[in-house]
Amino acid sequence: GWPEHVGIVVSVSGNTIKIIEGNKSDSVSYREIAVNGRYIRGYGVPEYSSKATSAGSGSGNGGGLKYSKGDIVNFTGSKHYASANATSGPSCKAGKAKVTDTAEGTKHPYHLIAVNGSGSTVYGWVNASDIAGASTAAASGSIAEGKTVKVKNSATKYATGQTIPSWVKSRKYTVQKIDGDRALLKEITSWVKISDLELA
């Protein structure tokens, strides 16, 4: 026959699916059927991750979250999740990470990506309780991606070890990227320690 209704999967045990339907003998009732049984026409899963992502899109933090997109934080947890409301997730290592998205009101409201060289392997949604430490803005005097900065006169070396020429200190630059304690300056494509920068 034709597919005529939808059942909600309650549980799966071995090769048996337990579902609840609204038209079993004209009532709401449970039914058990074999996985890939002949009456199954397909499965559907809501797009939880897309909803969680859209809720946190944008540059703000929604007003109720402590950290914002672009902040560098200390991830102290041991699990990350594929979506902001996932019930289980794989293990990962703690360390410095960047907040790349937020989803206020969800189980795991922060999406983190590990900072290179930090030892962390986080890449996914995490619990708010698994984040500690100050945001990039708080830790570095409001220096963040997109800000206009100057290199301090006291700075002597780039974050990569080379000597900073004197002419570099007389100009303004845009912070293109933050990575841990250093910032990439767009106009000269060079990494400078955040402690050697000031807002222009």
Short mmCIF file of all heavy atoms in Angstrom, two decimals, residues 40-108:
data_model
loop_
_atom_site.label_atom_id
_atom_site.label_comp_id
_atom_site.label_asym_id
_atom_site.label_seq_id
_atom_site.Cartn_x
_atom_site.Cartn_y
_atom_site.Cartn_z
N ILE A 40 8.30 -0.08 6.53
CA ILE A 40 9.02 1.18 6.74
C ILE A 40 9.39 1.77 5.39
O ILE A 40 10.05 1.14 4.58
CB ILE A 40 10.29 0.95 7.59
CG1 ILE A 40 9.91 0.41 8.97
CG2 ILE A 40 11.08 2.25 7.72
CD1 ILE A 40 11.10 0.02 9.82
N ARG A 41 8.96 3.00 5.16
CA ARG A 41 9.26 3.68 3.90
C ARG A 41 10.44 4.64 4.03
O ARG A 41 11.00 5.09 3.05
CB ARG A 41 8.03 4.46 3.41
CG ARG A 41 6.83 3.58 3.11
CD ARG A 41 7.09 2.72 1.87
NE ARG A 41 5.91 1.98 1.46
CZ ARG A 41 5.67 0.72 1.80
NH1 ARG A 41 6.55 0.06 2.53
NH2 ARG A 41 4.58 0.12 1.40
N GLY A 42 10.80 4.97 5.25
CA GLY A 42 11.92 5.89 5.46
C GLY A 42 11.93 6.43 6.87
O GLY A 42 11.03 6.16 7.67
N TYR A 43 12.98 7.20 7.17
CA TYR A 43 13.14 7.81 8.49
C TYR A 43 13.35 9.30 8.32
O TYR A 43 13.94 9.75 7.33
CB TYR A 43 14.35 7.22 9.23
CG TYR A 43 14.23 5.74 9.53
CD1 TYR A 43 14.73 4.79 8.65
CD2 TYR A 43 13.61 5.31 10.69
CE1 TYR A 43 14.62 3.44 8.92
CE2 TYR A 43 13.49 3.95 10.98
CZ TYR A 43 14.00 3.02 10.08
OH TYR A 43 13.88 1.68 10.36
N GLY A 44 12.92 10.06 9.29
CA GLY A 44 13.14 11.50 9.28
C GLY A 44 13.72 11.95 10.60
O GLY A 44 13.35 11.43 11.66
N VAL A 45 14.65 12.91 10.54
CA VAL A 45 15.26 13.46 11.76
C VAL A 45 15.20 14.98 11.68
O VAL A 45 15.63 15.56 10.68
CB VAL A 45 16.74 13.00 11.89
CG1 VAL A 45 17.37 13.60 13.14
CG2 VAL A 45 16.84 11.49 11.91
N PRO A 46 14.68 15.65 12.70
CA PRO A 46 14.65 17.13 12.69
C PRO A 46 16.07 17.69 12.59
O PRO A 46 17.02 17.08 13.06
CB PRO A 46 14.03 17.48 14.05
CG PRO A 46 13.25 16.27 14.44
CD PRO A 46 14.05 15.11 13.90
N GLU A 47 16.21 18.85 11.98
CA GLU A 47 17.52 19.49 11.83
C GLU A 47 17.85 20.29 13.09
O GLU A 47 17.87 21.51 13.08
CB GLU A 47 17.53 20.40 10.61
CG GLU A 47 17.49 19.64 9.30
CD GLU A 47 17.73 20.56 8.13
OE1 GLU A 47 18.89 20.94 7.91
OE2 GLU A 47 16.76 20.90 7.46
N TYR A 48 18.13 19.57 14.18
CA TYR A 48 18.43 20.23 15.45
C TYR A 48 19.64 21.16 15.32
O TYR A 48 19.64 22.27 15.83
CB TYR A 48 18.72 19.19 16.54
CG TYR A 48 17.54 18.32 16.89
CD1 TYR A 48 17.57 16.95 16.65
CD2 TYR A 48 16.40 18.86 17.46
CE1 TYR A 48 16.50 16.14 16.98
CE2 TYR A 48 15.32 18.06 17.79
CZ TYR A 48 15.37 16.70 17.55
OH TYR A 48 14.31 15.91 17.87
N SER A 49 20.69 20.70 14.66
CA SER A 49 21.92 21.49 14.59
C SER A 49 21.72 22.80 13.85
O SER A 49 22.27 23.82 14.23
CB SER A 49 23.05 20.69 13.94
OG SER A 49 22.68 20.31 12.63
N SER A 50 20.90 22.79 12.79
CA SER A 50 20.70 24.04 12.04
C SER A 50 19.93 25.04 12.88
O SER A 50 20.18 26.24 12.83
CB SER A 50 19.95 23.77 10.74
OG SER A 50 18.62 23.35 10.99
N LYS A 51 18.99 24.56 13.69
CA LYS A 51 18.24 25.47 14.56
C LYS A 51 19.15 26.05 15.63
O LYS A 51 19.09 27.22 15.94
CB LYS A 51 17.07 24.73 15.22
CG LYS A 51 15.98 24.32 14.25
CD LYS A 51 15.34 25.53 13.60
CE LYS A 51 14.24 25.13 12.65
NZ LYS A 51 13.68 26.27 11.93
N ALA A 52 20.00 25.21 16.19
CA ALA A 52 20.91 25.69 17.23
C ALA A 52 21.88 26.71 16.67
O ALA A 52 22.16 27.73 17.28
CB ALA A 52 21.68 24.52 17.83
N THR A 53 22.38 26.47 15.46
CA THR A 53 23.33 27.39 14.84
C THR A 53 22.69 28.72 14.54
O THR A 53 23.23 29.77 14.82
CB THR A 53 23.89 26.78 13.54
OG1 THR A 53 24.55 25.56 13.87
CG2 THR A 53 24.88 27.72 12.88
N SER A 54 21.46 28.69 13.99
CA SER A 54 20.82 29.95 13.63
C SER A 54 20.49 30.77 14.86
O SER A 54 20.50 31.98 14.84
CB SER A 54 19.54 29.69 12.83
OG SER A 54 18.60 28.98 13.59
N ALA A 55 20.22 30.11 15.98
CA ALA A 55 19.91 30.83 17.21
C ALA A 55 21.11 31.61 17.70
O ALA A 55 20.98 32.62 18.36
CB ALA A 55 19.45 29.86 18.30
N GLY A 56 22.31 31.12 17.38
CA GLY A 56 23.50 31.78 17.88
C GLY A 56 24.24 32.58 16.84
O GLY A 56 25.34 33.02 17.08
N SER A 57 23.69 32.73 15.66
CA SER A 57 24.41 33.43 14.61
C SER A 57 24.51 34.90 14.93
O SER A 57 23.71 35.46 15.65
CB SER A 57 23.71 33.22 13.26
OG SER A 57 22.40 33.73 13.33
N GLY A 58 25.51 35.53 14.36
CA GLY A 58 25.72 36.95 14.61
C GLY A 58 26.89 37.16 15.53
O GLY A 58 27.50 36.23 16.03
N SER A 59 27.22 38.44 15.78
CA SER A 59 28.42 38.74 16.55
C SER A 59 28.16 38.89 18.03
O SER A 59 29.08 38.89 18.82
CB SER A 59 29.04 40.04 16.01
OG SER A 59 28.11 41.09 16.11
N GLY A 60 26.92 38.99 18.44
CA GLY A 60 26.62 39.19 19.85
C GLY A 60 26.51 37.89 20.59
O GLY A 60 26.69 36.81 20.06
N ASN A 61 26.16 38.00 21.88
CA ASN A 61 26.01 36.79 22.68
C ASN A 61 24.57 36.59 23.13
O ASN A 61 24.30 35.80 24.01
CB ASN A 61 26.96 36.80 23.88
CG ASN A 61 26.66 37.93 24.84
OD1 ASN A 61 25.63 38.59 24.74
ND2 ASN A 61 27.56 38.17 25.77
N GLY A 62 23.64 37.32 22.52
CA GLY A 62 22.24 37.14 22.84
C GLY A 62 21.83 37.79 24.14
O GLY A 62 20.70 37.72 24.56
N GLY A 63 22.76 38.45 24.83
CA GLY A 63 22.44 39.18 26.03
C GLY A 63 22.53 38.38 27.30
O GLY A 63 22.70 38.93 28.37
N GLY A 64 22.41 37.05 27.24
CA GLY A 64 22.40 36.27 28.46
C GLY A 64 23.60 35.37 28.64
O GLY A 64 23.69 34.66 29.63
N LEU A 65 24.51 35.35 27.70
CA LEU A 65 25.69 34.49 27.79
C LEU A 65 26.91 35.30 28.18
O LEU A 65 27.05 36.46 27.80
CB LEU A 65 25.92 33.78 26.46
CG LEU A 65 24.82 32.79 26.03
CD1 LEU A 65 25.11 32.25 24.64
CD2 LEU A 65 24.69 31.65 27.02
N LYS A 66 27.80 34.67 28.92
CA LYS A 66 28.99 35.36 29.42
C LYS A 66 30.01 35.65 28.33
O LYS A 66 30.67 36.68 28.34
CB LYS A 66 29.62 34.50 30.52
CG LYS A 66 30.81 35.14 31.21
CD LYS A 66 31.30 34.28 32.36
CE LYS A 66 32.49 34.91 33.06
NZ LYS A 66 32.97 34.08 34.18
N TYR A 67 30.15 34.72 27.38
CA TYR A 67 31.16 34.87 26.34
C TYR A 67 30.51 35.12 24.98
O TYR A 67 29.37 34.72 24.74
CB TYR A 67 32.05 33.63 26.27
CG TYR A 67 32.73 33.35 27.59
CD1 TYR A 67 32.30 32.32 28.42
CD2 TYR A 67 33.80 34.13 28.01
CE1 TYR A 67 32.92 32.08 29.63
CE2 TYR A 67 34.43 33.89 29.22
CZ TYR A 67 33.98 32.86 30.03
OH TYR A 67 34.59 32.62 31.23
N SER A 68 31.26 35.76 24.10
CA SER A 68 30.76 36.11 22.77
C SER A 68 31.58 35.45 21.68
O SER A 68 32.70 34.99 21.92
CB SER A 68 30.80 37.63 22.57
OG SER A 68 30.00 38.29 23.51
N LYS A 69 31.04 35.45 20.49
CA LYS A 69 31.74 34.93 19.32
C LYS A 69 33.06 35.68 19.15
O LYS A 69 33.10 36.90 19.22
CB LYS A 69 30.85 35.13 18.09
CG LYS A 69 31.34 34.49 16.83
CD LYS A 69 30.31 34.66 15.74
CE LYS A 69 30.79 34.08 14.43
NZ LYS A 69 29.80 34.25 13.37
N GLY A 70 34.15 34.92 18.99
CA GLY A 70 35.47 35.52 18.84
C GLY A 70 36.31 35.50 20.10
O GLY A 70 37.53 35.68 20.04
N ASP A 71 35.69 35.26 21.26
CA ASP A 71 36.43 35.21 22.52
C ASP A 71 37.32 33.97 22.59
O ASP A 71 36.95 32.90 22.10
CB ASP A 71 35.48 35.20 23.72
CG ASP A 71 34.81 36.54 23.96
OD1 ASP A 71 35.26 37.54 23.37
OD2 ASP A 71 33.85 36.59 24.73
N ILE A 72 38.47 34.12 23.23
CA ILE A 72 39.35 32.99 23.51
C ILE A 72 39.12 32.61 24.97
O ILE A 72 39.21 33.46 25.85
CB ILE A 72 40.84 33.35 23.29
CG1 ILE A 72 41.07 33.82 21.86
CG2 ILE A 72 41.73 32.15 23.62
CD1 ILE A 72 40.79 32.79 20.79
N VAL A 73 38.82 31.35 25.21
CA VAL A 73 38.48 30.89 26.56
C VAL A 73 39.27 29.64 26.91
O VAL A 73 39.92 29.04 26.05
CB VAL A 73 36.96 30.58 26.66
CG1 VAL A 73 36.13 31.83 26.45
CG2 VAL A 73 36.56 29.50 25.66
N ASN A 74 39.22 29.27 28.18
CA ASN A 74 39.84 28.03 28.62
C ASN A 74 38.75 26.96 28.72
O ASN A 74 37.87 27.05 29.57
CB ASN A 74 40.51 28.22 29.99
CG ASN A 74 41.74 29.09 29.89
OD1 ASN A 74 42.53 28.95 28.97
ND2 ASN A 74 41.89 30.00 30.83
N PHE A 75 38.82 25.97 27.84
CA PHE A 75 37.88 24.86 27.87
C PHE A 75 38.39 23.84 28.88
O PHE A 75 39.51 23.35 28.77
CB PHE A 75 37.76 24.24 26.48
CG PHE A 75 36.94 22.98 26.45
CD1 PHE A 75 35.60 22.99 26.78
CD2 PHE A 75 37.53 21.78 26.08
CE1 PHE A 75 34.85 21.82 26.76
CE2 PHE A 75 36.79 20.61 26.04
CZ PHE A 75 35.44 20.63 26.39
N THR A 76 37.57 23.53 29.89
CA THR A 76 38.00 22.63 30.96
C THR A 76 37.27 21.28 30.93
O THR A 76 37.51 20.43 31.77
CB THR A 76 37.74 23.28 32.34
OG1 THR A 76 36.33 23.58 32.46
CG2 THR A 76 38.54 24.57 32.49
N GLY A 77 36.38 21.11 29.96
CA GLY A 77 35.59 19.88 29.89
C GLY A 77 36.31 18.74 29.20
O GLY A 77 37.50 18.82 28.87
N SER A 78 35.56 17.66 28.97
CA SER A 78 36.13 16.48 28.32
C SER A 78 35.24 15.94 27.21
O SER A 78 35.52 14.90 26.64
CB SER A 78 36.37 15.38 29.36
OG SER A 78 35.14 15.02 29.98
N LYS A 79 34.14 16.68 26.89
CA LYS A 79 33.24 16.24 25.82
C LYS A 79 32.80 17.43 24.98
O LYS A 79 32.67 18.54 25.47
CB LYS A 79 32.00 15.56 26.40
CG LYS A 79 32.21 14.13 26.84
CD LYS A 79 30.88 13.45 27.12
CE LYS A 79 31.10 11.97 27.41
NZ LYS A 79 29.82 11.26 27.59
N HIS A 80 32.58 17.17 23.69
CA HIS A 80 31.97 18.16 22.81
C HIS A 80 30.86 17.47 22.03
O HIS A 80 30.82 16.25 21.93
CB HIS A 80 33.00 18.83 21.90
CG HIS A 80 33.87 17.88 21.13
ND1 HIS A 80 34.86 18.29 20.29
CD2 HIS A 80 33.91 16.52 21.07
CE1 HIS A 80 35.46 17.25 19.74
NE2 HIS A 80 34.90 16.17 20.20
N TYR A 81 29.95 18.28 21.47
CA TYR A 81 28.72 17.73 20.89
C TYR A 81 28.50 18.24 19.47
O TYR A 81 28.92 19.34 19.12
CB TYR A 81 27.53 18.10 21.77
CG TYR A 81 27.67 17.62 23.19
CD1 TYR A 81 28.35 18.39 24.13
CD2 TYR A 81 27.15 16.40 23.59
CE1 TYR A 81 28.50 17.95 25.44
CE2 TYR A 81 27.29 15.94 24.90
CZ TYR A 81 27.97 16.72 25.82
OH TYR A 81 28.12 16.28 27.10
N ALA A 82 27.81 17.44 18.66
CA ALA A 82 27.55 17.78 17.26
C ALA A 82 26.51 18.88 17.12
O ALA A 82 26.48 19.58 16.11
CB ALA A 82 27.11 16.54 16.49
N SER A 83 25.65 19.05 18.12
CA SER A 83 24.65 20.11 18.08
C SER A 83 24.48 20.68 19.48
O SER A 83 24.90 20.07 20.47
CB SER A 83 23.31 19.59 17.55
OG SER A 83 22.70 18.75 18.50
N ALA A 84 23.84 21.82 19.57
CA ALA A 84 23.69 22.51 20.85
C ALA A 84 22.75 21.80 21.81
O ALA A 84 22.73 22.10 23.00
CB ALA A 84 23.22 23.94 20.62
N ASN A 85 21.96 20.85 21.32
CA ASN A 85 21.04 20.11 22.19
C ASN A 85 21.27 18.60 22.14
O ASN A 85 20.40 17.82 22.53
CB ASN A 85 19.59 20.42 21.81
CG ASN A 85 19.13 21.74 22.41
OD1 ASN A 85 19.31 21.99 23.59
ND2 ASN A 85 18.57 22.60 21.58
N ALA A 86 22.43 18.19 21.67
CA ALA A 86 22.73 16.76 21.57
C ALA A 86 22.74 16.11 22.96
O ALA A 86 23.06 16.75 23.96
CB ALA A 86 24.08 16.55 20.90
N THR A 87 22.37 14.84 23.01
CA THR A 87 22.32 14.13 24.29
C THR A 87 23.61 13.41 24.62
O THR A 87 23.86 13.06 25.77
CB THR A 87 21.16 13.11 24.30
OG1 THR A 87 21.31 12.24 23.18
CG2 THR A 87 19.82 13.83 24.21
N SER A 88 24.44 13.17 23.62
CA SER A 88 25.73 12.52 23.87
C SER A 88 26.76 13.03 22.88
O SER A 88 26.41 13.52 21.80
CB SER A 88 25.61 11.00 23.76
OG SER A 88 25.25 10.63 22.44
N GLY A 89 28.03 12.93 23.28
CA GLY A 89 29.09 13.41 22.40
C GLY A 89 30.40 12.72 22.70
O GLY A 89 30.57 12.14 23.78
N PRO A 90 31.35 12.78 21.77
CA PRO A 90 32.65 12.13 21.97
C PRO A 90 33.55 12.91 22.93
O PRO A 90 33.32 14.08 23.21
CB PRO A 90 33.24 12.11 20.56
CG PRO A 90 32.62 13.29 19.88
CD PRO A 90 31.23 13.40 20.45
N SER A 91 34.58 12.24 23.38
CA SER A 91 35.55 12.86 24.28
C SER A 91 36.49 13.79 23.51
O SER A 91 36.70 13.62 22.31
CB SER A 91 36.37 11.79 24.99
OG SER A 91 35.55 10.97 25.78
N CYS A 92 37.04 14.76 24.22
CA CYS A 92 38.04 15.65 23.64
C CYS A 92 38.92 16.17 24.77
O CYS A 92 38.62 15.95 25.95
CB CYS A 92 37.38 16.81 22.89
SG CYS A 92 36.36 17.87 23.94
N LYS A 93 40.01 16.85 24.40
CA LYS A 93 40.96 17.34 25.40
C LYS A 93 40.71 18.81 25.71
O LYS A 93 40.32 19.59 24.84
CB LYS A 93 42.38 17.15 24.90
CG LYS A 93 42.79 15.69 24.76
CD LYS A 93 44.22 15.57 24.26
CE LYS A 93 44.62 14.11 24.10
NZ LYS A 93 45.99 13.98 23.56
N ALA A 94 40.96 19.17 26.96
CA ALA A 94 40.79 20.55 27.41
C ALA A 94 41.94 21.43 26.93
O ALA A 94 42.98 20.94 26.50
CB ALA A 94 40.71 20.58 28.93
N GLY A 95 41.74 22.75 27.01
CA GLY A 95 42.77 23.71 26.62
C GLY A 95 42.14 24.98 26.08
O GLY A 95 40.92 25.16 26.14
N LYS A 96 42.97 25.87 25.55
CA LYS A 96 42.46 27.13 25.00
C LYS A 96 41.66 26.87 23.73
O LYS A 96 42.03 26.04 22.91
CB LYS A 96 43.61 28.09 24.69
CG LYS A 96 44.14 28.81 25.91
CD LYS A 96 45.10 29.90 25.51
CE LYS A 96 45.59 30.66 26.73
NZ LYS A 96 46.54 31.73 26.38
N ALA A 97 40.56 27.62 23.59
CA ALA A 97 39.70 27.46 22.42
C ALA A 97 39.02 28.78 22.09
O ALA A 97 38.92 29.67 22.94
CB ALA A 97 38.66 26.38 22.67
N LYS A 98 38.56 28.88 20.86
CA LYS A 98 37.89 30.09 20.40
C LYS A 98 36.39 29.84 20.30
O LYS A 98 35.95 28.81 19.79
CB LYS A 98 38.43 30.49 19.03
CG LYS A 98 37.81 31.75 18.45
CD LYS A 98 38.45 32.08 17.11
CE LYS A 98 37.85 33.32 16.50
NZ LYS A 98 38.50 33.66 15.22
N VAL A 99 35.59 30.80 20.79
CA VAL A 99 34.14 30.72 20.66
C VAL A 99 33.79 31.12 19.23
O VAL A 99 34.06 32.25 18.81
CB VAL A 99 33.43 31.66 21.66
CG1 VAL A 99 31.92 31.60 21.46
CG2 VAL A 99 33.79 31.31 23.09
N THR A 100 33.20 30.19 18.47
CA THR A 100 32.87 30.48 17.07
C THR A 100 31.37 30.68 16.85
O THR A 100 30.96 31.14 15.80
CB THR A 100 33.37 29.36 16.14
OG1 THR A 100 32.79 28.12 16.56
CG2 THR A 100 34.88 29.26 16.20
N ASP A 101 30.56 30.31 17.85
CA ASP A 101 29.12 30.54 17.76
C ASP A 101 28.50 30.35 19.14
O ASP A 101 29.11 29.75 20.03
CB ASP A 101 28.48 29.57 16.77
CG ASP A 101 27.25 30.17 16.08
OD1 ASP A 101 26.72 31.19 16.58
OD2 ASP A 101 26.81 29.63 15.06
N THR A 102 27.29 30.88 19.32
CA THR A 102 26.57 30.72 20.58
C THR A 102 25.12 30.38 20.29
O THR A 102 24.59 30.70 19.23
CB THR A 102 26.62 32.01 21.43
OG1 THR A 102 26.04 33.08 20.69
CG2 THR A 102 28.05 32.36 21.82
N ALA A 103 24.48 29.70 21.24
CA ALA A 103 23.07 29.33 21.11
C ALA A 103 22.43 29.39 22.49
O ALA A 103 22.36 28.40 23.21
CB ALA A 103 22.93 27.94 20.51
N GLU A 104 21.99 30.57 22.86
CA GLU A 104 21.42 30.79 24.19
C GLU A 104 20.17 29.93 24.40
O GLU A 104 19.36 29.75 23.49
CB GLU A 104 21.06 32.27 24.36
CG GLU A 104 20.64 32.63 25.77
CD GLU A 104 20.43 34.12 25.95
OE1 GLU A 104 20.63 34.87 24.98
OE2 GLU A 104 20.06 34.51 27.06
N GLY A 105 20.03 29.38 25.60
CA GLY A 105 18.86 28.58 25.94
C GLY A 105 18.97 27.12 25.57
O GLY A 105 18.00 26.38 25.66
N THR A 106 20.15 26.67 25.14
CA THR A 106 20.34 25.27 24.76
C THR A 106 21.19 24.55 25.81
O THR A 106 21.75 25.17 26.71
CB THR A 106 21.04 25.16 23.39
OG1 THR A 106 22.31 25.82 23.47
CG2 THR A 106 20.20 25.82 22.31
N LYS A 107 21.29 23.23 25.68
CA LYS A 107 22.07 22.43 26.63
C LYS A 107 23.56 22.77 26.56
O LYS A 107 24.24 22.80 27.58
CB LYS A 107 21.91 20.94 26.32
CG LYS A 107 20.54 20.37 26.62
CD LYS A 107 20.52 18.88 26.29
CE LYS A 107 19.16 18.28 26.55
NZ LYS A 107 19.14 16.84 26.21
N HIS A 108 24.05 22.98 25.36
CA HIS A 108 25.48 23.25 25.15
C HIS A 108 25.58 24.56 24.36
O HIS A 108 25.63 24.55 23.13
CB HIS A 108 26.13 22.10 24.37
CG HIS A 108 25.61 20.74 24.75
ND1 HIS A 108 25.82 20.18 25.99
CD2 HIS A 108 24.86 19.84 24.06
CE1 HIS A 108 25.24 18.99 26.04
NE2 HIS A 108 24.64 18.77 24.88
#
